Amino acid sequence: QVQLVESGGGLVQAGGSLRLSCAASGRPFSRSNMVWFRQAPGKERDFVAAISWSGGSTNYADSVKGRFTVSRDNAKNTVYLQMNSLKPEDTAVYFCAADTEWSPFRASLSRTKFNYWGQGTQVTVSS
């Protein structure tokens, strides 16, 4: 059974840092682009960051550029989201998603529906 499990969320003060992890199991995800989304209460799920299957390409929402870094370790089947200089507006549930194998990176960036999603991890930033 394919599973994505996020971890690393928590409560942090503004200006602080957190590193989220998304661990995949059930099949290798080394050939899948991975995407991070977040959803704040009462709002739609928004794109945060994406990384290509090789790790050679990344993309970020304007709101997190320069503060967040996405990376992956295919040997560990894990994707990371390093979040620095956190702001109260970053408060949300963060989800990772895996695209189908060998999808073009540009396609993953425009997609909102994925076959595989994690359950989400809560990030709360206090002011």
Side-chain angles (χ1 to χ4, degrees):
Q1 183 175 351
V2 176
Q3 195 173 19
L4 298 177
V5 178
E6 300 97 336
S7 62
L11 173 63
V12 64
Q13 288 188 328
S17 298
L18 285 173
R19 188 175 83 153
L20 306 184
S21 299
C22 172
S25 62
R27 75 162 177 85
F29 281 85
S30 57
R31 297 182 290 271
S32 297
N33 303 324
M34 302 293 290
V35 187
W36 285 96
F37 290 85
R38 67 186 181 186
Q39 188 167 20
K43 295 187 177 181
E44 294 185 349
R45 190 172 295 187
D46 291 330
F47 168 81
V48 176
I51 187 167
S52 62
W53 62 269
S54 67
S57 296
T58 58
N59 191 274
Y60 299 91
D62 288 342
S63 59
V64 307
K65 277 181 183 176
R67 300 188 298 121
F68 290 12
T69 303
V70 60
S71 62
R72 66 190 299 161
D73 184 339
N74 284 339
K76 295 182 178 180
N77 236 16
T78 301
V79 178
Y80 305 98
L81 185 67
Q82 177 67 43
M83 306 186 297
N84 299 328
S85 302
L86 283 162
K87 304 175 181 180
E89 50 264 44
D90 295 318
T91 295
V93 178
Y94 284 71
F95 300 88
C96 64
D99 206 347
T100 53
E101 292 184 333
W102 304 122
S103 290
F105 189 53
R106 185 182 297 273
S108 298
L109 295 179
S110 62
R111 208 186 310 280
T112 58
K113 294 182 179 180
F114 295 86
N115 288 336
Y116 306 110
W117 287 91
Q119 82 292 347
T121 185
Q122 175 71 48
V123 172
T124 303
V125 184
S126 63
S127 56

